[in-house]
Amino acid sequence: MSSQLLMIEDDTRLAEMVGEYLGQSGLHVTHRADGKSGLAQLQGPEAGPLPDLVILDLMLPDMDGLEVCRRIRSLQGPAAQVPVLMLTAKGDPMDRIIGLELGADDYLPKPFEPRELLARIRAILRRRTDGGTPAATPALRFGSLEIDRDARTVTVGGQVADLTSYQFDLLVTLAERAGRVLTRDQIMEAVRGRELDAFDRSIDVHMGRIRAAIEADAKNPRRILTVRGVGYVFAKQQD
């Protein structure tokens, strides 16, 4: 069964080209030209089966992509967890950072190579579906923190922590290697399957979001520690 994508993009010609290219790889793209109709496609009168991923342009005629991303994450039910790949203006890292802080799973600057877009989409979809039915994986437990890798949920003291799919994978990567210092490159390679751009600091934004979700005091973290000049380590201590 092919994956279903929703592309929210006001450039109809670009959307048609992307849809045709991705269609050759077995991906079906539904196009919406503005934020309002895109949100309705996710949850509203037009809503059908949820897409497997949303490709979201930053610049839209009725509202910007950042606002659309924020509204997606505030939806009720499974719609709030749909992965979002944001298309941003080239050379504007602030838009990327804000997008990640609002819950986008990844970003791609315009103009982009269709092959890179396809690779990013496949990486996100691969993280969500293992492509098989493996045996149940034991949950990771660190005091009040529990990470259920099969259900893809994180709870702290019984309360569900709000993480995107990408942030969940980052947390698992660290927790599975508790006590081991990992560089940013090692973390990103484990999650994305590609090396980190030396100037890409999106991982730091994600780590801040994860800390806000699982730490009692995100400014003085006890679980995810920064090793200055190196990367991050997930502490083994119990609370």
Side-chain angles (χ1 to χ4, degrees):
M1 182 176 178
S2 65
S3 295
Q4 305 295 311
L5 312 182
L6 171 61
M7 186 170 190
I8 306 176
E9 165 66 66
D10 64 333
D11 187 334
T12 302
R13 183 180 177 186
L14 174 62
E16 290 176 350
M17 292 173 59
V18 168
E20 181 177 350
Y21 179 82
L22 296 180
Q24 296 172 1
S25 298
L27 303 173
H28 180 267
V29 179
T30 297
H31 172 230
R32 292 292 180 267
D34 56 64
K36 183 178 179 181
S37 61
L39 289 166
Q41 186 70 30
L42 286 167
Q43 193 173 73
E46 301 178 22
L50 283 176
D52 298 294
L53 180 142
V54 173
I55 303 171
L56 175 61
D57 186 32
L58 182 66
M59 303 298 293
L60 295 169
D62 55 344
M63 65 182 84
D64 65 36
L66 298 175
E67 175 62 16
V68 175
C69 184
R70 186 192 67 77
R71 293 192 187 188
I72 290 174
R73 293 296 175 237
S74 66
L75 292 173
Q76 298 297 313
Q81 303 302 319
V82 173
V84 174
L85 171 59
M86 183 167 284
L87 303 178
T88 68
K90 187 173 182 179
D92 195 344
M94 186 53 64
D95 284 337
R96 303 176 194 174
I97 291 171
I98 294 173
L100 292 169
E101 289 179 336
L102 289 174
D105 291 81
D106 201 355
Y107 62 82
L108 186 61
K110 287 183 175 182
F112 54 82
E113 286 288 337
R115 287 178 297 178
E116 183 175 4
L117 174 63
L118 177 59
R120 298 279 185 115
I121 291 170
R122 283 176 168 169
I124 294 172
L125 295 177
R126 189 164 54 244
R127 292 198 297 266
R128 289 180 64 85
T129 58
D130 293 331
T133 54
T137 306
L140 297 170
R141 294 184 176 86
F142 302 87
S144 63
L145 173 68
E146 179 174 313
I147 305 170
D148 188 329
R149 288 169 286 185
D150 289 335
R152 296 184 65 80
T153 59
V154 178
T155 57
V156 182
Q159 299 296 313
V160 177
D162 185 17
L163 296 175
T164 67
S165 176
Y166 186 50
Q167 289 159 7
F168 177 87
D169 291 325
L170 286 173
L171 177 59
V172 169
T173 296
L174 286 169
E176 288 179 337
R177 300 162 179 79
R180 175 183 167 191
V181 177
L182 298 177
T183 66
R184 290 177 175 82
D185 299 280
Q186 289 172 326
I187 296 169
M188 296 291 278
E189 187 172 1
V191 175
R192 277 187 179 172
R194 68 179 182 85
E195 292 185 359
L196 173 66
D197 185 331
F199 297 101
D200 188 341
R201 283 293 176 263
S202 67
I203 189 171
D204 298 324
V205 176
H206 282 299
M207 288 300 175
R209 297 286 291 184
I210 296 170
R211 282 171 169 161
I214 70 170
E215 299 276 8
D217 181 357
K219 294 183 178 180
N220 297 286
R222 297 182 59 215
R223 301 182 188 281
I224 298 178
L225 308 179
T226 301
V227 181
R228 201 172 291 276
V230 181
Y232 295 92
V233 60
F234 189 94
K236 286 184 175 180
Q237 85 270 4
Q238 305 291 312
D239 55 9

